[in-house]
Amino acid sequence: MGVLKRFEQRLEGLVNGTFAKVFKSEVQPVEIAGALQRECDNNATIWNRERTVVPNDFIVELSDGDFDRLAPYSGQLSQELAGMVREYAKQQRYTFMGEITVSLEKAPNLDTGLYRVRSRTLASSSAGGAAAGGAPPTTPPGPTHGGSYGYPQPGAGGAVPPPPAGAPGAYGSGGAPAADRTRRWVEINGNRHQISRSTLVLGRSTEADVRVDDPGVSRRHCEIQATEPATVRDLGSTNGIVVDGHPTKHATLRDGSRIVVGSTTIIYRQAEG
């Protein structure tokens, strides 16, 4: 069972089902959990051959209405989200520089149903720090801020600005070889998603690496492989994929290639160094 599914099942049993009632509308906690996972992947930095450091301090910005709705449960939700991040990091063999914290904040410029995730790496004040996959590096870096992560729903009109570039060229556990200095990412509806591992699954399911909220997209629609050259393959989707205007099951990608899934266009990008 995936990390997100276990997280969702734990929430269902909290507060005698109160969470299930509160989260029926607008922002769903499992979507926030998925965004936190992607924030780790997008800002993963290889410290040495054995350690990949990811952010440990997360701020989830919500609209006024969503924040007020979730505020009574923010403490317990923050603990569950932090636990999910810890579990995911253990699975990916990521390392933290300090204690994992997740907090909710009000952002008046966001519309209902939209949220934004900000992250940074904060070194622990204790001597040992905290780690998911081993002890922290001997010389911890100063605080570094991850890019904002917008996750607008369809029709949002780009209320959430696209994030800046993520961690350059370094891949987390299970990713491309360290010698490969090519940065790869995809752009979807103005949002940028770093390819920080060897594969990136796109689909409508919350279990996908990048969720594409489009009724014409299958739960696991296609997979981008960060090889040289990069490729994309259909995962048995209902509506298939179109790459640079050609329906296909498997295709080689170049910088600027356009992958159409359902009614959504995904732009593949790559750059050296």
Side-chain angles (χ1 to χ4, degrees):
M1 185 185 300
V3 174
L4 287 181
K5 189 63 177 179
R6 287 194 293 270
F7 167 78
E8 197 169 26
Q9 289 183 349
R10 285 197 301 270
L11 280 190
E12 289 175 357
L14 291 176
V15 200
N16 296 323
T18 299
F19 271 80
K21 298 174 184 177
V22 170
F23 292 125
K24 280 185 178 179
S25 61
E26 288 90 25
V27 174
Q28 300 296 316
V30 71
E31 293 179 354
I32 297 175
L36 293 177
Q37 287 187 1
R38 291 188 292 272
E39 190 73 10
C40 287
D41 292 339
N42 292 348
N43 293 284
T45 302
I46 292 180
W47 190 257
N48 57 37
R49 292 182 62 183
E50 298 180 356
R51 296 189 181 98
T52 300
V53 177
V54 295
N56 60 300
D57 183 68
F58 302 87
I59 296 174
V60 180
E61 297 181 350
L62 301 165
S63 67
D64 289 347
D66 287 322
F67 180 86
D68 293 340
R69 180 169 52 88
L70 302 183
Y73 316 97
S74 61
Q76 197 160 9
L77 178 59
S78 295
Q79 291 179 9
E80 289 294 328
L81 288 168
M84 183 283 306
V85 171
R86 187 177 299 107
E87 183 180 355
Y88 180 69
K90 183 177 182 181
Q91 174 182 295
Q92 301 299 322
R93 302 184 67 182
Y94 289 154
T95 296
F96 299 106
M97 295 300 297
E99 180 184 359
I100 304 169
T101 59
V102 180
S103 57
L104 307 183
E105 287 189 0
K106 186 178 292 189
N109 64 321
L110 291 181
D111 294 330
T112 299
L114 301 183
Y115 60 88
R116 182 188 298 115
V117 173
R118 293 188 287 116
S119 69
R120 57 181 176 173
T121 300
L122 291 179
S124 173
S125 57
S126 63
T138 54
T139 307
T144 57
H145 294 258
S148 298
Y149 189 92
Y151 199 87
Q153 301 301 318
V160 182
Y171 288 80
S173 175
D180 185 356
R181 298 299 181 184
T182 303
R183 292 185 294 116
R184 299 180 174 89
W185 67 94
V186 292
E187 297 172 355
I188 307 174
N189 296 328
N191 292 316
R192 184 170 179 169
H193 306 270
Q194 200 80 6
I195 303 176
S196 54
R197 290 180 288 173
S198 58
T199 60
L200 184 80
V201 175
L202 301 104
R204 190 161 44 85
S205 169
T206 54
E207 295 290 335
D209 297 318
V210 174
R211 187 174 179 226
V212 182
D213 199 347
D214 180 330
V217 172
S218 298
R219 292 178 60 81
R220 287 171 55 87
H221 198 102
C222 64
E223 177 184 73
I224 293 177
Q225 297 178 326
T227 52
E228 187 55 52
T231 60
V232 61
R233 68 184 181 95
D234 183 26
L235 295 178
S237 66
T238 300
N239 296 318
I241 62 175
V242 177
V243 180
D244 294 329
H246 302 286
T248 184
K249 292 292 185 182
H250 184 276
T252 299
L253 299 175
R254 55 176 177 78
D255 182 39
S257 285
R258 302 173 74 86
I259 308 164
V260 177
V261 294
S263 59
T264 301
T265 298
I266 301 165
I267 302 175
Y268 171 79
R269 307 291 302 184
Q270 67 180 44
E272 297 298 324

PDB file of all heavy atoms in Angstrom, residues 37 48 59 108 134 150 155 159 167 189-190 201 209 219:
ATOM      1  N   GLN A  37       5.079  15.604  -0.771  1.00  0.00           N
ATOM      2  CA  GLN A  37       5.982  14.609  -1.353  1.00  0.00           C
ATOM      3  C   GLN A  37       6.739  15.203  -2.535  1.00  0.00           C
ATOM      4  O   GLN A  37       7.961  15.052  -2.654  1.00  0.00           O
ATOM      5  CB  GLN A  37       5.201  13.380  -1.810  1.00  0.00           C
ATOM      6  CG  GLN A  37       4.702  12.491  -0.699  1.00  0.00           C
ATOM      7  CD  GLN A  37       4.094  11.207  -1.221  1.00  0.00           C
ATOM      8  OE1 GLN A  37       4.060  10.964  -2.427  1.00  0.00           O
ATOM      9  NE2 GLN A  37       3.606  10.368  -0.324  1.00  0.00           N
ATOM     10  N   ASN A  48      26.137  13.699  -0.418  1.00  0.00           N
ATOM     11  CA  ASN A  48      27.243  12.808  -0.789  1.00  0.00           C
ATOM     12  C   ASN A  48      26.629  11.534  -1.351  1.00  0.00           C
ATOM     13  O   ASN A  48      25.424  11.489  -1.592  1.00  0.00           O
ATOM     14  CB  ASN A  48      28.180  12.525   0.409  1.00  0.00           C
ATOM     15  CG  ASN A  48      27.444  11.920   1.601  1.00  0.00           C
ATOM     16  OD1 ASN A  48      26.530  11.120   1.421  1.00  0.00           O
ATOM     17  ND2 ASN A  48      27.830  12.305   2.809  1.00  0.00           N
ATOM     18  N   ILE A  59       5.328  25.014   4.951  1.00  0.00           N
ATOM     19  CA  ILE A  59       4.202  25.899   5.222  1.00  0.00           C
ATOM     20  C   ILE A  59       3.172  25.703   4.112  1.00  0.00           C
ATOM     21  O   ILE A  59       3.494  25.831   2.933  1.00  0.00           O
ATOM     22  CB  ILE A  59       4.635  27.376   5.276  1.00  0.00           C
ATOM     23  CG1 ILE A  59       5.599  27.602   6.451  1.00  0.00           C
ATOM     24  CG2 ILE A  59       3.419  28.297   5.400  1.00  0.00           C
ATOM     25  CD1 ILE A  59       6.182  28.997   6.497  1.00  0.00           C
ATOM     26  N   PRO A 108      -4.620  35.406   1.907  1.00  0.00           N
ATOM     27  CA  PRO A 108      -5.818  36.053   1.360  1.00  0.00           C
ATOM     28  C   PRO A 108      -5.849  36.129  -0.162  1.00  0.00           C
ATOM     29  O   PRO A 108      -6.922  36.285  -0.750  1.00  0.00           O
ATOM     30  CB  PRO A 108      -5.750  37.459   1.978  1.00  0.00           C
ATOM     31  CG  PRO A 108      -4.893  37.312   3.192  1.00  0.00           C
ATOM     32  CD  PRO A 108      -3.883  36.267   2.844  1.00  0.00           C
ATOM     33  N   GLY A 134      19.569   8.217   7.874  1.00  0.00           N
ATOM     34  CA  GLY A 134      20.925   8.250   8.396  1.00  0.00           C
ATOM     35  C   GLY A 134      21.207   9.584   9.042  1.00  0.00           C
ATOM     36  O   GLY A 134      20.387  10.495   9.030  1.00  0.00           O
ATOM     37  N   GLY A 150       2.610  25.630  -6.399  1.00  0.00           N
ATOM     38  CA  GLY A 150       1.196  25.894  -6.604  1.00  0.00           C
ATOM     39  C   GLY A 150       0.497  24.652  -7.111  1.00  0.00           C
ATOM     40  O   GLY A 150       1.051  23.905  -7.899  1.00  0.00           O
ATOM     41  N   GLY A 155      -9.598  25.387 -14.073  1.00  0.00           N
ATOM     42  CA  GLY A 155     -10.376  26.605 -14.169  1.00  0.00           C
ATOM     43  C   GLY A 155      -9.951  27.672 -13.196  1.00  0.00           C
ATOM     44  O   GLY A 155     -10.621  28.691 -13.045  1.00  0.00           O
ATOM     45  N   ALA A 159      -4.222  31.368 -10.426  1.00  0.00           N
ATOM     46  CA  ALA A 159      -4.156  32.200  -9.235  1.00  0.00           C
ATOM     47  C   ALA A 159      -2.889  31.958  -8.457  1.00  0.00           C
ATOM     48  O   ALA A 159      -2.408  32.825  -7.752  1.00  0.00           O
ATOM     49  CB  ALA A 159      -5.375  31.917  -8.333  1.00  0.00           C
ATOM     50  N   ALA A 167      15.910  22.039  -7.167  1.00  0.00           N
ATOM     51  CA  ALA A 167      17.321  21.718  -6.960  1.00  0.00           C
ATOM     52  C   ALA A 167      17.966  21.323  -8.274  1.00  0.00           C
ATOM     53  O   ALA A 167      17.440  20.510  -9.013  1.00  0.00           O
ATOM     54  CB  ALA A 167      17.423  20.561  -5.978  1.00  0.00           C
ATOM     55  N   ASN A 189       0.127  23.507 -17.182  1.00  0.00           N
ATOM     56  CA  ASN A 189      -0.740  24.630 -16.797  1.00  0.00           C
ATOM     57  C   ASN A 189       0.028  25.721 -16.052  1.00  0.00           C
ATOM     58  O   ASN A 189      -0.458  26.295 -15.093  1.00  0.00           O
ATOM     59  CB  ASN A 189      -1.911  24.134 -15.934  1.00  0.00           C
ATOM     60  CG  ASN A 189      -2.821  23.191 -16.677  1.00  0.00           C
ATOM     61  OD1 ASN A 189      -3.008  23.311 -17.885  1.00  0.00           O
ATOM     62  ND2 ASN A 189      -3.399  22.228 -15.966  1.00  0.00           N
ATOM     63  N   GLY A 190       1.252  25.972 -16.501  1.00  0.00           N
ATOM     64  CA  GLY A 190       2.057  27.026 -15.891  1.00  0.00           C
ATOM     65  C   GLY A 190       2.820  26.606 -14.659  1.00  0.00           C
ATOM     66  O   GLY A 190       3.588  27.401 -14.099  1.00  0.00           O
ATOM     67  N   VAL A 201       5.748   9.348 -13.064  1.00  0.00           N
ATOM     68  CA  VAL A 201       4.436   8.865 -13.498  1.00  0.00           C
ATOM     69  C   VAL A 201       3.431  10.008 -13.421  1.00  0.00           C
ATOM     70  O   VAL A 201       3.334  10.702 -12.408  1.00  0.00           O
ATOM     71  CB  VAL A 201       3.964   7.690 -12.626  1.00  0.00           C
ATOM     72  CG1 VAL A 201       2.539   7.276 -13.005  1.00  0.00           C
ATOM     73  CG2 VAL A 201       4.908   6.502 -12.769  1.00  0.00           C
ATOM     74  N   ASP A 209       3.106  10.445  -9.481  1.00  0.00           N
ATOM     75  CA  ASP A 209       4.116  11.417  -9.048  1.00  0.00           C
ATOM     76  C   ASP A 209       3.635  12.837  -9.297  1.00  0.00           C
ATOM     77  O   ASP A 209       3.879  13.739  -8.497  1.00  0.00           O
ATOM     78  CB  ASP A 209       5.434  11.166  -9.794  1.00  0.00           C
ATOM     79  CG  ASP A 209       6.017   9.802  -9.481  1.00  0.00           C
ATOM     80  OD1 ASP A 209       5.983   9.407  -8.303  1.00  0.00           O
ATOM     81  OD2 ASP A 209       6.501   9.134 -10.404  1.00  0.00           O
ATOM     82  N   ARG A 219      -5.790   6.990 -14.378  1.00  0.00           N
ATOM     83  CA  ARG A 219      -5.182   7.099 -13.039  1.00  0.00           C
ATOM     84  C   ARG A 219      -3.655   7.054 -13.127  1.00  0.00           C
ATOM     85  O   ARG A 219      -2.975   7.806 -12.457  1.00  0.00           O
ATOM     86  CB  ARG A 219      -5.695   5.970 -12.140  1.00  0.00           C
ATOM     87  CG  ARG A 219      -7.180   6.098 -11.808  1.00  0.00           C
ATOM     88  CD  ARG A 219      -7.665   4.937 -10.966  1.00  0.00           C
ATOM     89  NE  ARG A 219      -6.938   4.848  -9.698  1.00  0.00           N
ATOM     90  CZ  ARG A 219      -7.219   5.580  -8.630  1.00  0.00           C
ATOM     91  NH1 ARG A 219      -8.201   6.457  -8.660  1.00  0.00           N
ATOM     92  NH2 ARG A 219      -6.532   5.430  -7.516  1.00  0.00           N
TER      93      ARG A 219
END
